[in-house]
Amino acid sequence: MPLPSLASVADLATLLGRVFTPQQELQAQALLDQASSIVRAYVGLDITKATTTDTFTMRRVDTLRYGCAGAVTLPQRPIESVTAVEVNGLATADWWLDGTELLLRAWAWARPPAAHQPPQVTVTYTHGWDPVPGDIAAIVMQAVNRVLVNPSQVRSETVGGESVTYLIPTTGEALGVLLSKTEQRVLNRYRRTAGSVRVRSL
């Protein structure tokens, strides 16, 4: 199921002080969806609140530090709750969260050659923001507005001796719904760091 856009057409219309025609609403929604996908790809998060069931490969950890058999890193955040955990298909309640780390207290790791197949941990958890953080929504709408204001992506042109300059960076970079360096810096605090590899979604 596609993820919802990170800002609504109504929010965009309010921001711009405009009333969209039905055709313009369709265009605005398509651009909001595109900008939302770009923001999600950059930060590595779904952002909107959802409940997900994913399967991860358990990794070994420092038992002296963590006092557990293994761990997985849940990629989506912020994590609101974890409702179910299974290891190799067996339900377990012997786990706890440490930030985005799900730590499993005890699990018998297989000896060779089965040891080459680490345990698979299936986790159902609720994550994300509701509502979407204001700065993220603002960046999505700002990216869409660039296209609505200047769809041809022209920085300047001269017609009949008159010069017109458009609001595109002085580098000449035609951004469209892509992210500017300033927008990336704002989004950097949301970016996901490297963690466990997700092997499949249920």
Side-chain angles (χ1 to χ4, degrees):
M1 182 176 179
L3 293 170
S5 58
L6 296 172
S8 70
V9 172
D11 291 336
L12 181 62
T14 300
L15 177 71
L16 300 180
R18 294 177 57 181
V19 177
F20 291 133
T21 66
Q23 185 60 36
Q24 289 170 334
E25 286 185 357
L26 292 175
Q27 180 191 23
Q29 185 61 66
L31 290 169
L32 287 168
D33 291 343
Q34 185 178 2
S36 297
S37 295
I38 290 169
V39 168
R40 286 186 169 110
Y42 183 78
V43 300
L45 298 171
D46 290 349
I47 299 174
T48 46
K49 185 176 178 179
T51 298
T52 302
T53 298
D54 281 339
T55 298
F56 310 89
T57 298
M58 188 192 296
R59 71 179 189 278
R60 295 183 184 275
V61 295
D62 184 347
T63 56
L64 293 178
R65 180 180 178 185
Y66 292 103
C68 61
V72 297
T73 301
L74 302 181
Q76 296 298 327
R77 54 182 172 81
I79 298 169
E80 180 178 292
S81 63
V82 175
T83 54
V85 178
E86 293 182 358
V87 182
N88 287 347
L90 299 176
T92 178
D94 202 9
W95 56 267
W96 71 97
L97 274 177
D98 182 10
T100 58
E101 298 289 297
L102 187 135
L103 306 172
L104 295 114
R105 190 179 305 279
W107 188 262
W109 288 72
R111 297 181 179 278
H116 299 296
Q117 299 177 340
Q120 300 299 298
V121 183
T122 300
V123 183
T124 299
Y125 67 114
T126 300
H127 52 81
W129 287 271
D130 184 16
V132 171
D135 50 355
I136 293 179
I139 286 172
V140 168
M141 290 188 287
Q142 181 172 287
V144 170
N145 187 45
R146 279 197 292 269
V147 177
L148 295 176
V149 170
N150 183 24
S152 63
Q153 295 294 285
V154 176
R155 182 172 186 273
S156 64
E157 61 182 9
T158 301
V159 179
E162 294 186 2
S163 178
V164 180
T165 301
Y166 298 93
L167 296 177
I168 290 179
T170 55
T171 58
E173 180 184 14
L175 292 170
V177 295
L178 300 179
L179 300 173
S180 69
K181 296 298 183 183
T182 300
E183 290 164 345
Q184 289 176 356
R185 285 195 293 270
V186 173
L187 292 172
N188 280 344
R189 71 189 187 96
Y190 295 102
R191 293 192 80 179
R192 187 178 74 199
T193 56
S196 298
V197 176
R198 180 170 67 187
V199 295
R200 69 175 184 272
S201 297
L202 300 181

